């Protein structure tokens, strides 16, 4: 990226119409916003603000949340070590369920959606896909207009159910370019696998 994107790829981005919304720009920007949100939380200790920011980042890009920690260099050894910040989490990933719990206590419907988004992402990053899918199914009953919930439901191994989730998710009003693309990819994959299994039968 420091050298610049090759000309033939730049032409594709320009022809598409909005190059800054492509992953090659969105992912680094999201990563920077994520780190800034964590540093801001270190200063203001506002877990609700952190949760709302992270929920927005999750629906912006697949690799929006990293499992980092606050570190400092040990003066004796020269190695980076995790430091105690007196925040209720050490690993940045562990902030997700803590923020989710705080957002649920506000009683606000949009905060409840964000809380579910945070917890689903936490489950996915901890390889607890079945827990994430189960939570998404419950979340859809409360608010069927959040496309990210259907994206998580599409991660099921039940291909017909996954394809149905993709189709419903693509009709949602609350959808980001990342979630739309992810749902399209999942829909094609589920449909192709179902077609191949029918041919095999």
């Amino acid at each position: 990226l420091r050298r610049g994107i090759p000309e033939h790829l730049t032409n594709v981005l320009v022809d598409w119409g909005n190059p800054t919304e492509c992953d090659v720009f969105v992912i680094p920007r999201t990563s920077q916003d994520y780190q800034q949100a964590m540093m801001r939380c270190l200063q203001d200790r506002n877990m609700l603000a952190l949760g709302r920011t992270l929920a927005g980042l999750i629906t912006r890009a697949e690799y929006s949340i990293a499992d980092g920690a606050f570190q400092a260099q040990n003066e004796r050894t020269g190695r980076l070590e995790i430091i105690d910040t007196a925040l209720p989490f050490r690993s940045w990933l562990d902030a997700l369920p803590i923020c989710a719990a705080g957002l649920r206590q506000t009683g606000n419907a949009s905060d409840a959606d964000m809380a579910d988004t945070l917890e689903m992402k936490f489950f996915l990053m901890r390889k607890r896909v079945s827990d994430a899918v189960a939570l998404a199914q419950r979340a859809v009953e409360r608010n069927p207009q959040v496309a990210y919930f259907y994206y998580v439901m599409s991660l099921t191994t039940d291909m017909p159910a996954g394809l149905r989730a993709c189709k419903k998710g693509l009709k949602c009003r609350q959808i980001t370019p990342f979630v739309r693309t992810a749902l399209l990819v999942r829909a094609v994959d589920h449909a192709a696998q179902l077609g191949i299994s029918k041919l095999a039968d």
Side-chain angles (χ1 to χ4, degrees):
L1 280 175
R2 279 195 295 270
R3 285 199 306 267
I5 299 171
E7 187 178 349
H8 67 288
L9 296 179
T10 301
N11 293 338
V12 172
L13 295 176
V14 170
D15 290 343
W16 182 65
N18 196 355
T20 58
E21 292 307 310
C22 292
D23 275 358
V24 72
F25 295 106
V26 171
I27 290 173
R29 190 168 66 233
T30 301
S31 177
Q32 184 178 21
D33 290 346
Y34 174 62
Q35 291 176 26
Q36 287 175 351
M38 291 313 232
M39 293 304 161
R40 195 161 48 246
C41 181
L42 183 60
Q43 294 167 353
D44 64 20
R45 311 280 164 162
N46 189 335
M47 298 300 289
L48 290 179
L50 177 64
R52 290 174 182 133
T53 300
L54 297 184
L57 297 179
I58 288 167
T59 60
R60 196 195 290 178
E62 180 70 56
Y63 304 107
S64 52
I65 304 295
D67 194 5
F70 295 106
Q71 296 179 316
Q73 191 171 27
N74 184 312
E75 293 179 6
R76 267 188 308 113
T77 64
R79 288 185 298 196
L80 285 175
E81 295 179 355
I82 295 175
I83 57 172
D84 183 12
T85 60
L87 283 166
F89 61 89
R90 286 172 66 85
S91 162
W92 288 0
L93 186 56
D94 290 335
L96 296 180
I98 295 168
C99 290
L103 288 168
R104 283 200 177 91
Q105 291 175 358
T106 68
N108 185 310
S110 63
D111 281 345
D113 292 339
M114 287 188 263
D116 286 340
T117 299
L118 292 170
E119 203 161 353
M120 285 176 216
K121 185 66 172 179
F122 176 77
F123 286 148
L124 292 176
M125 292 192 71
R126 290 285 191 227
K127 309 288 189 238
R128 295 167 56 187
V129 178
S130 60
D131 290 334
V133 170
L135 177 57
Q137 290 167 339
R138 292 193 302 274
V140 159
E141 291 175 13
R142 190 189 66 253
N143 186 352
Q145 285 303 319
V146 181
Y148 185 77
F149 299 163
Y150 293 100
Y151 165 65
V152 174
M153 287 170 62
S154 78
L155 301 176
T156 179
T157 55
D158 181 344
M159 287 182 287
L163 183 56
R164 281 192 300 273
C166 291
K167 290 179 178 180
K168 289 177 182 176
L170 288 165
K171 295 176 184 175
C172 288
R173 291 191 297 269
Q174 293 180 33
I175 192 166
T176 61
F178 154 65
V179 175
R180 181 182 291 111
T181 304
L183 282 167
L184 286 169
V185 170
R186 295 293 300 165
V188 170
D189 187 54
H190 282 309
Q193 294 299 326
L194 285 166
I196 290 167
S197 67
K198 285 194 183 302
L199 289 171
D201 290 344

